[in-house]
Amino acid sequence: MTQTQEASPYPNLSEYLFDEWIRLDVVLEIEMQRMMQHPEELDGSAGAFRGMYLSDTEAKALLDDDEPYLMLTAEQTYLLDQLEERIRLRLESTSEREVPLLRLQAVLGLTEQDSRMLLAALAPHANRKYIRLYGYLQDDMSSQHLTLDLMLRLSSRSPGERKRLLERWAQTRGALRGLFAEMTSAQTRKDVSMLSEPLVLRPRAVSFLLDLPWRVQDTLTGLTHYGLESNRLLEPPLIQDQLRQRMRDYARDRAEYPVHWNLHGPSGSGKTFQARHLCADLGCALLEWDLAQAAQEPDRLRDELAQMLLEARLQDAIPAFRCTASDNRIHLLLQELNDWSGDVFWLSDAALKAPVRPPGSVWLDIPLALPDMLDSVRLWEQLTPSLLAVDEREIALLAGKFRFTPGQIKATTEYALQLSDWRQASGEGGSAGDWLQTAAYSLLRHRLSDKAVKMESRLDWNDLILPADAMQLLRQACNRLVHRHTVLSQWGFDRLLPYGRGISMLFTGPPGTGKTMSALVMSKELRAELYRIDLSRVVSKYIGETEKNLSEIFEQAGQSGAILFFDEADSLFGKRSEVKDAHDKYANMETSYLLQKMEEYDGITILATNFSQNLDDAFVRRIQYIIRFPFPDSDHRERLWRSAIPQAMPAGEIDYAFLAETFELTGAPIKNIVLSAAFLSAEAGEPLSMQRLLESVIQEYKKTGKLLMKDRFGPYAQYWKG
């Protein structure tokens, strides 16, 4: 073979491995010849039980034997040098695509000696003959794999070289050792002698070196790989683009220092998105590991981490750990990353407290906050598909109610598009705004129902019978939420209002005058959830517990901009009492705390009371909208009677004027009367009549302990029942 032919590149992996196995066979043959020089080691009396027990002859031979290494004759040295030089020359012109070992050498910084060791460990996976040969060479057929002792025997050519290789292996951690698996079944052997340590390649390393298909297995199912090309195809951030540029510039200017990037924020805030953009700028992939699926036991976690870092090296990827700030395993992971010389991403819900950080690295704390109102509107506008035609008012409502991250907004619009396809195909009605609202609520996982009752509404403004000034204030409050984006964000009032951007309302008036109904109408108008606070679940006799409950309510409501309706609020937050003892003082603190949470809350808070005089004056002054629901006069009562009877209900001649003038009732009892009369009419099989209505009026008055005299019924006295 000519020199040119010997230096030609390897056309494929098989031809390269063929040469390496020839070289390994030569080394194994030389070692066998060394063993042949000690015939007592091959005592014929052992026969088929060689390696199963130690004879006297063998024991004496061991006492006389020094540390073994390759004892090469001049001819053997020449042969090995020729084989290794031929392989080296051909590899110089071979691409990493044909021989994966070349990529491993470049990524891990492996020496030629390291590569020889990897190939010796790889050999049993390529040809079964090496399994038995390794057992034979170690005089132990139960040890049919490479051990540290056998590797030293096959790799060193002098006692000095053997010592250097042993020291290097003992001191090596990280890249090279990460290619080998920890074999717990051989733990006893390992503890007896480091030389007996099995050197078994991880399955991932085997598949990579042999260029075999690979799927993430078992403990590493929480891994997600984002390739370089997919990272480069990412669209620019709709928000936080300045942050992306800052991270890119910082990484390029300080390339000599590994950086631990702690990107923290709520789910969907763009942590992975920003990490992928930086990886694209740095020309590498991203390998993300969800620690929720990682082991809890330290030893298993270390092994999984080693596999994860190995995969990151093989994929030329920056490792990323998705975790929570409360995860107590982070300290251990940081310790194990001392030998990792590259960047690391920590993607957490809150800033990580990392007292021990890898030396020689930079730690950066980067918060990814929820988008402000202006950014939220922009995200809804740009992420909503054109097929979902929504106007500016609807966008403003969505942005004002849902404190969503970019990821949540994208998920909402995608699901809304699916809903529109399904409902249109099934002939159901609805608008794009309805589908977006439904999709948004489906993403919420709040726990408001633990301490509040959700109220559904089908009522609209036409169902409300109130004075003009009360209706005007209710509409103003709704419009304030709709136009909050314009006033606060576009016109700059958000800078002047660091808090108090929400809407606080006080509904005051006698029972049944429309306070709850008004809240329901606002809920329908704004497509917002309405929760009536169950005071029995909020108020606690234990100091501090009431505040804790209130804090949780407002925190959970903030996810969806829900309307919070505190009914009979005066019973909980009445006039602050004169401080006579610790309990009086703490009751006043509860009132102040409620005011504070109402001012911090961005949504609508409604306090309803039948007795406004019981509320503290300082408390009332801090309420933005005070709406009084007066006892209805006769004109309003007539409208209430008319509105209480549905159009679909068959009815005879009803004297609405008489009912309104005669009976001084609010809207709630009027509805009860009409409903009761409707059931009486249904039972009798006749249309609604004055007789049934008056019978129900008498029943309603008796329920409240009031008596109706016969003369009150005037022309309808025949329907009176004493």
Side-chain angles (χ1 to χ4, degrees), residues 523-541:
S523 170
K524 177 70 163 39
E525 172 70 11
L526 298 173
R527 292 197 184 97
E529 291 182 320
L530 175 65
Y531 279 88
R532 182 174 61 197
I533 309 305
D534 187 346
L535 298 181
S536 65
R537 304 184 192 178
V538 175
V539 180
S540 174
K541 64 181 180 180

Side-chain angles (χ1 to χ4, degrees), residues 231-245:
N231 292 339
R232 286 174 171 167
L233 292 175
L234 284 176
E235 296 180 355
L238 297 178
I239 60 174
Q240 300 174 337
D241 191 51
Q242 290 185 348
L243 173 61
R244 179 182 71 87
Q245 296 178 27

Side-chain angles (χ1 to χ4, degrees), residues 190-321:
K190 180 180 176 181
D191 289 343
V192 169
S193 171
M194 181 176 66
L195 296 175
S196 300
E197 178 182 351
L199 302 184
V200 179
L201 286 173
R202 293 187 183 277
R204 179 64 179 109
V206 173
S207 68
F208 183 84
L209 290 170
L210 295 179
D211 197 23
L212 299 175
W214 171 255
R215 289 180 57 190
V216 175
Q217 299 174 351
D218 301 332
T219 57
L220 295 183
T221 53
L223 281 184
T224 304
H225 177 258
Y226 301 97
L228 174 59
E229 290 307 314
S230 67
N231 292 339
R232 286 174 171 167
L233 292 175
L234 284 176
E235 296 180 355
L238 297 178
I239 60 174
Q240 300 174 337
D241 191 51
Q242 290 185 348
L243 173 61
R244 179 182 71 87
Q245 296 178 27
R246 284 179 57 199
M247 292 173 61
R248 178 196 61 198
D249 295 341
Y250 185 92
R252 289 177 176 175
D253 293 342
R254 295 165 176 79
E256 67 274 17
Y257 300 111
V259 180
H260 285 245
W261 309 84
N262 181 202
L263 301 172
H264 56 88
S267 177
S269 57
K271 300 184 288 290
T272 299
F273 188 72
Q274 289 286 2
R276 292 182 64 188
H277 265 293
L278 183 57
C279 287
D281 293 330
L282 298 178
C284 58
L286 178 72
L287 190 64
E288 183 178 302
W289 188 19
D290 186 355
L291 291 182
Q293 302 184 48
Q296 295 293 331
E297 299 82 2
D299 289 341
R300 284 188 56 203
L301 183 62
R302 289 188 183 94
D303 185 64
E304 291 177 7
L305 176 62
Q307 296 182 62
M308 187 264 193
L309 296 180
L310 169 61
E311 190 67 23
R313 290 184 173 100
L314 298 181
Q315 299 286 354
D316 190 20
I318 297 179
F321 300 93

Side-chain angles (χ1 to χ4, degrees), residues 645-650:
I645 301 176
Q647 293 182 355
M649 182 177 182

Side-chain angles (χ1 to χ4, degrees), residues 65 125 222 247 413 418 453 522-523 550 660 673 692 697 707:
D65 193 18
H125 297 278
M247 292 173 61
T413 57
Q418 297 172 5
V453 178
M522 293 180 68
S523 170
L550 285 172
I673 290 169
R692 301 305 179 193
V697 167
L707 294 177

Side-chain angles (χ1 to χ4, degrees), residues 400-416:
K401 282 197 303 183
F402 301 104
R403 296 295 309 278
F404 275 6
T405 62
Q408 289 174 310
I409 293 175
K410 184 175 178 62
T412 297
T413 57
E414 291 175 349
Y415 182 42

Side-chain angles (χ1 to χ4, degrees), residues 618-631:
F619 188 101
V620 173
R621 283 196 298 270
R622 294 167 69 174
I623 302 295
Q624 294 167 339
Y625 291 91
I626 299 179
I627 302 178
R628 293 176 171 82
F629 293 76
F631 197 93

Side-chain angles (χ1 to χ4, degrees), residues 688-702:
L688 181 67
S689 64
M690 280 294 292
Q691 178 183 353
R692 301 305 179 193
L693 285 171
L694 291 173
E695 289 176 358
S696 299
V697 167
I698 295 172
Q699 181 181 338
E700 184 70 19
Y701 269 80
K702 286 183 177 179

